[in-house]
Amino acid sequence: MNNRNRPAQLRTEDTSSPYFLHPSDNPGTILVPQPLTGSNYATWSRSFTTALLAKNKLVFVDGSILLPARDDLLYQPWIRCNSMVISWLRNSLSPQISSSIMYLDDAYAIWFDLKERFSIGDSARIYQLKQQLMSLSQGSSDVNTYFTNLRIVWDEFKSSQPI
C-alpha cells in the first residue's frame, strides 16, 4: 500500500496527524518557560497543555491514543512520538521531579502520575491566595494594573481548587 492510500492517521508526514513530527521537534526542546517545581502545578499544567495542543500531541498525555499492538502499523510512530513527548515532559520538570519519573515509559503514565501528585490543592497556598484576595486594594495603582493583579491571584485561586 503506497503512502497516499493509507488512512490519514497512518500518514506520518500529514501535519494534521498526531504522529507528525516537525523537523524542528527534538528531544531537547523546552516547551514551557518555568519547570514544574510542585507548587506551580496548576500554571505549569496549563502552559504544558497549551504547548502540546499547538504541537498536536495532547493525545499522548490525555489517554486518547494508547500504545498500539506491536504488529500495528502505528506502533513505531507511536513509540517515536511518545518518546518525544516524554523528553519534553522531562525537560519541563525540576531535576528532582524528573528523576522521580525517569523509569516511566509512557507519556500518559507520567502525566497521570504528576497530576495525581501535584494537582491536589496545597492548603497553605490556597490560604495565601485567599489572604491576597482579601487584602488586595487598588491603592495608587491604575485600574488596569489593579484588575490585572486581581485577575492573576483570582485565576490561580480558582485553578487550585479541587476538581
Side-chain angles (χ1 to χ4, degrees):
M1 170 187 297
N2 76 25
N3 212 22
R4 279 188 208 175
N5 296 333
R6 287 184 175 183
Q9 72 269 21
L10 293 179
R11 285 184 257 138
T12 57
E13 74 280 352
D14 177 1
T15 58
S16 66
S17 168
Y19 295 102
F20 174 77
L21 287 173
H22 190 272
S24 68
D25 288 335
N26 69 72
T29 301
I30 297 173
L31 298 185
V32 293
Q34 296 296 320
L36 174 64
T37 58
S39 61
N40 64 338
Y41 177 79
T43 54
W44 172 87
S45 172
R46 181 119 172 104
S47 294
F48 201 84
T49 299
T50 303
L52 287 178
L53 278 168
K55 292 188 165 291
N56 199 18
K57 300 293 181 273
L58 187 63
V59 294
F60 289 91
V61 299
D62 71 6
S64 298
I65 294 182
L66 300 176
L67 176 64
R70 279 189 174 274
D71 59 347
D72 191 311
L73 289 174
L74 290 174
Y75 180 77
Q76 285 303 322
W78 187 93
I79 293 292
R80 189 179 71 247
C81 290
N82 180 68
S83 296
M84 187 67 72
V85 173
I86 288 172
S87 295
W88 294 337
L89 277 164
R90 287 183 184 148
N91 292 338
S92 73
L93 305 174
S94 71
Q96 182 183 20
I97 296 172
S98 182
S99 295
S100 74
I101 54 99
M102 189 56 64
Y103 297 101
L104 295 175
D105 294 327
D106 184 329
Y108 173 70
I110 293 170
W111 190 258
F112 184 80
D113 177 78
L114 295 173
K115 183 177 182 181
E116 194 172 59
R117 277 196 278 166
F118 300 111
S119 69
I120 299 166
D122 176 0
S123 55
R125 181 64 183 146
I126 291 171
Y127 177 77
Q128 273 182 333
L129 293 169
K130 282 182 182 178
Q131 292 300 98
Q132 280 182 310
L133 285 170
M134 302 272 290
S135 64
L136 197 62
S137 68
Q138 184 175 347
S140 61
S141 302
D142 61 70
V143 172
N144 288 332
T145 303
Y146 169 71
F147 180 75
T148 300
N149 291 336
L150 179 64
R151 177 75 184 260
I152 290 167
V153 177
W154 178 253
D155 285 347
E156 185 180 349
F157 174 74
K158 202 169 66 171
S159 71
S160 65
Q161 298 301 305
I163 298 171

